[in-house]
């Protein structure tokens, strides 16, 4: 089966010069990446690679080093993307130092995991369910590919290829882990990247093998536990074999992946698995994997997606609860899970050519992902609740530091998500100012985008083919558009076809042609399905892709005392670099008459003011809510 040719543009072919994103990405470069480097050095992640770290029996953090390589790897990946778009000799040297540490920690046979090498050498690959070895390997592989593509250096790529080769042997026919797979998916998508970077087909085959081994009977995790005779790393004093449905669902090993129908279990694991399935479906034309992805997508988007693009409502498993269980204050919505959703959505769009996946990507990116870091780029959320009683604030770092470098690597690789080189024509998925370089029919064509997105839906694109060129230009029509979009070329309205959520303008482009896309953007009130208990009788405000929240600091009372009125139209204004929405409402008034009374609560009119959800918790602690009561 011939596959549609659709791919992201390489980072060097895209330049971002955008009023919204450029300052944020500059903060990631100037603050976040150095801050994270400091934390990794102080936290022991670098020392562990020198085998200088030993567990402290009085310190309960001793259980975390099993995935320390992943922290270092994600940091290298973030730094590599940053280096791909701007040279920085100091950062380059710091990355070289980390790469040298990884190379030094690699064993003769290619094995690379400081925890098992230093502390438990006999335990290598014996606890795939909990020990995260392949998860770390996956992040190392992603880092090796990014580092190679950014710098042209093969120092880390060579290391990770040797490790991948060892894994291929161990997990191949007759290997010690034949039939196995990791309890935390990640390596599967990384191996697809390694295949694309090296052209070595066996990495793709290994990825497919790991994906197809998952969930098959006899269950590998039960077998390995029996062989080992001890509970897994996270098994505590519990049974050696945990074979109940919920344990299996936790790491999505409850059924073969092609038969899975619902998004269940740990949400980051799920996202990385589904992303790899979409990659493999695209590479191999595998209809079974594609159908499974489409089923899982529908379940997630129809029943388990927060309005912010966050996912994983149940903190006890860092994962999905039942359908429509989307608590706001007590929800979870890990930053990594929203990032994982961006990865999966992007791949689904590449697989299908449908813009609906980018709608979800955009929802996650501008809301539940961006909220993961403070405005100054040095404080982070691990969970991203949709309401706060005033006790929630971002942290400087975490013992389990998966989210901060994940966020850094996504923002430094934003270029990959803006455009698609589609055989059907250059495609604009995200409205991010800057330029991009495509090639069609042997001719180079540049697109130069300008806009004030996400605050305004007017986008201008200058098309610069090296010579006149007939090619359809494809512009995403976001799902949030509240009225008919329009397109002009050189000031004249042009008709356009709509194909899978894209406006398609098919003409012969001359150098300097100016396209204007107008996406009417107004503040709107959004209500949830009645089965979402946390949003019952409540309303959220959104403008364009930005979901807003109400913070106590902008209002005259704590958020639970506010009620949005149904009468007035919400009005947006742009101040201090952010949109704010004001809407008429009521505020409960304290009243005499004791703690309880039979009459109604006295109220008076007030104006309720919002900020974008991603920007909350930057001005001290206070109550916050996305879903706010509305007058019945
Ligand atoms: O287990 C590795 C990472 O740590 C997971 O993806 C996160 O949810 C956190 O548990
Ligand atoms: Zn995380």
């Amino acid at each position: 089966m011939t596959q549609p040719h659709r791919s992201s543009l390489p980072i060097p072919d895209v330049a971002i010069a955008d009023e919204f994103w450029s300052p944020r990405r500059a903060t990631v470069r100037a603050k976040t990446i150095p801050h994270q480097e400091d934390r990794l050095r102080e936290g022991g992640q670098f020392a562990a690679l020198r085998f200088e770290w030993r567990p402290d029996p009085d310190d309960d953090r001793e259980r975390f080093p099993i995935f320390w390589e992943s922290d270092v790897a994600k940091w290298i990946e973030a730094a590599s993307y940053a280096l791909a778009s701007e040279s920085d000799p100091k950062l380059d040297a710091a990355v070289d130092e980390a790469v040298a540490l990884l190379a030094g920690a690699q064993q003769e046979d290619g094995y690379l995991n400081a925890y098992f090498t230093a502390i438990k050498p006999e335990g290598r690959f014996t606890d795939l369910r909990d020990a995260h070895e392949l998860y770390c390997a996956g992040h190392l592989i992603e880092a090796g590919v990014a580092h190679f593509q950014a710098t042209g250096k093969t120092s880390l790529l060579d290391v990770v290829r040797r490790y991948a080769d060892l894994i291929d042997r161990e997990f191949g026919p007759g290997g010690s882990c034949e039939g196995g797979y990791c309890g935390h998916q990640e390596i599967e998508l990384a191996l697809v990247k390694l295949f694309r970077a090296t052209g070595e087909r066996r990495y793709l085959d290994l990825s497919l093998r790991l994906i197809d081994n998952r969930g098959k009977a006899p269950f590998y995790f039960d077998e390995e536990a029996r062989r080992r005779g001890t509970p897994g790393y996270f098994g505590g004093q519990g049974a050696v074999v945990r074979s109940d449905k919920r344990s299996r669902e936790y790491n999505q090993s409850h059924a073969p992946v092609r038969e899975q129908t619902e998004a269940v279990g740990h949400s980051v694991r799920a996202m990385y698995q589904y992303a790899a399935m979409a990659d493999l479906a695209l590479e191999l034309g595998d209809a079974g994997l594609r159908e499974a992805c489409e089923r899982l997508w529908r379940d997630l988007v129809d029943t388990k997606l927060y309005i912010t693009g966050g996912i994983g409502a149940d903190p006890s498993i860092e994962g999905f609860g039942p359908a429509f269980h989307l608590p706001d204050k007590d929800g979870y919505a890990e930053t990594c899970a929203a990032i994982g959703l961006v990865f999966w959505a992007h791949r689904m769009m590449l697989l299908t050519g449908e813009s609906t996946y980018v709608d979800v990507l955009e929802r996650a990116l501008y809301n539940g992902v961006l909220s993961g870091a403070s405005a100054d780029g040095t404080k982070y959320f691990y969970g991203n609740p949709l309401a706060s009683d005033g006790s929630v604030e971002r942290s400087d770092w975490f013992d389990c530091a998966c989210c901060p470098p994940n966020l850094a690597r996504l923002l430094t690789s934003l270029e990959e998500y803006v455009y698609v080189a589609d055989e059907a024509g250059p495609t604009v998925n995200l409205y991010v100012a800057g330029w991009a370089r495509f090639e069609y029919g042997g001719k180079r064509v540049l697109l130069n985008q300008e806009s004030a997105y996400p605050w305004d839906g007017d986008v201008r694109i200058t098309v610069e083919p090296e010579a006149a060129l007939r090619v359809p230009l494809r512009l995403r029509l976001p799902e949030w558009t509240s009225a008919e979009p329009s397109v002009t070329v050189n000031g004249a309205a042009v008709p356009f076809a709509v194909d899978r959520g894209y406006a398609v303008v098919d003409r012969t482009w001359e150098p300097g042609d100016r396209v204007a896309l107008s996406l009417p953007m107004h503040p709107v009130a959004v209500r949830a399905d009645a089965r979402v208990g946390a949003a019952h009788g409540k309303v959220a405000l959104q403008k364009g892709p930005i979901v807003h929240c109400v913070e106590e600091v902008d209002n005259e009372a704590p958020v639970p005392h506010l009620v949005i009125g149904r009468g007035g139209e919400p009005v947006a204004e742009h101040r201090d670099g952010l949109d704010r929405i004001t809407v008429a409402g009521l505020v409960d008034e304290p009243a005499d008459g004791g703690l309880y009374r039979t009459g109604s609560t006295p109220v008076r009119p007030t104006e309720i003011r919002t900020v974008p959800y991603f920007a909350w918790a930057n001005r001290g602690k206070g109550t916050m809510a996305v879903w706010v009561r509305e007058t019945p």
Side-chain angles (χ1 to χ4, degrees), residues 487-510:
V487 181
T488 65
V489 177
N490 300 328
V494 291
F496 57 86
V498 176
D499 174 33
R500 288 168 292 165
Y502 294 91
V504 183
V505 187
D506 189 3
R507 57 188 277 137
T508 300
W509 299 99
E510 303 285 344

Side-chain angles (χ1 to χ4, degrees), residues 50-320:
R50 291 187 209 99
F51 303 119
E52 288 165 3
W53 182 89
R54 285 289 174 276
D56 173 353
D58 298 326
D59 182 349
D60 83 19
R61 289 185 315 157
E62 70 172 292
R63 72 191 187 90
F64 287 103
I66 54 161
F67 37 81
W68 269 1
E69 273 92 3
S70 68
D71 300 340
V72 176
K74 278 185 268 185
W75 176 81
I76 293 175
E77 197 185 334
S80 298
Y81 297 136
L83 290 169
S85 51
E86 200 175 309
S87 90
D88 179 341
K90 192 165 164 242
L91 183 59
D92 195 29
V95 170
D96 281 347
E97 181 192 339
V99 170
L101 288 175
L102 288 164
Q106 184 162 39
Q107 304 300 291
E108 269 303 286
D109 62 357
Y111 186 76
L112 177 46
N113 184 293
Y115 176 84
F116 282 98
T117 301
I119 293 162
K120 212 175 173 188
E122 74 293 352
R124 216 203 233 215
F125 294 143
T126 60
D127 182 7
L128 298 184
R129 188 192 69 191
D130 290 356
H132 284 67
E133 281 155 296
L134 299 193
Y135 165 82
C136 288
H139 279 303
L140 288 168
I141 291 168
E142 286 200 83
V145 170
H147 182 240
F148 166 64
Q149 288 172 341
T151 64
K153 298 181 195 177
T154 58
S155 46
L156 186 54
L157 187 67
D158 291 344
V159 167
V160 302
R161 286 185 73 165
R162 286 183 57 214
Y163 194 13
D165 293 344
L166 171 73
I167 294 168
D168 193 27
R169 291 194 296 277
E170 296 288 352
F171 286 75
S176 68
C177 303
E178 186 178 358
Y181 46 91
C182 190
H184 196 315
Q185 304 86 323
E186 153 59 31
I187 192 169
E188 299 84 353
L189 72 85
L191 286 165
V192 177
K193 287 190 177 181
L194 189 59
F195 156 70
R196 289 177 180 152
T198 62
E200 290 268 9
R201 170 74 195 215
R202 66 207 158 88
Y203 298 133
L204 190 68
D205 295 341
L206 175 57
S207 172
L208 182 66
R209 199 180 318 138
L210 296 173
I211 279 288
D212 274 334
N213 285 346
R214 192 166 213 92
K216 286 209 173 129
F219 290 100
Y220 189 87
F221 297 149
D222 296 354
E223 301 283 301
E224 69 166 5
R226 276 191 205 100
R227 279 199 295 272
R228 211 178 45 236
T230 59
Y233 189 82
F234 292 123
Q237 300 309 308
V240 168
V241 173
R242 281 190 301 162
S243 55
D244 57 293
K245 183 161 177 277
R246 193 169 150 89
S247 310
R248 287 200 179 129
E249 284 183 349
Y250 172 73
N251 49 40
Q252 295 82 28
S253 66
H254 55 293
V257 302
R258 293 165 190 274
E259 293 166 23
Q260 295 183 13
T261 53
E262 290 176 21
V264 291
H266 185 272
S267 48
V268 183
R269 286 168 162 85
M271 289 306 101
Y272 292 175
Q273 172 184 314
Y274 305 160
M277 288 163 66
D279 272 339
L280 289 165
L282 178 66
E283 287 296 342
L284 300 168
D286 189 320
L289 286 177
R290 176 176 171 156
E291 281 158 23
C293 281
E294 288 173 338
R295 270 196 316 269
L296 291 161
W297 181 269
R298 281 268 56 90
D299 179 62
L300 175 83
V301 170
D302 293 345
T303 70
K304 292 169 187 161
L305 177 68
Y306 278 107
I307 187 173
T308 54
I311 53 170
D314 181 351
S316 72
I317 55 162
E318 299 189 307
F320 297 106

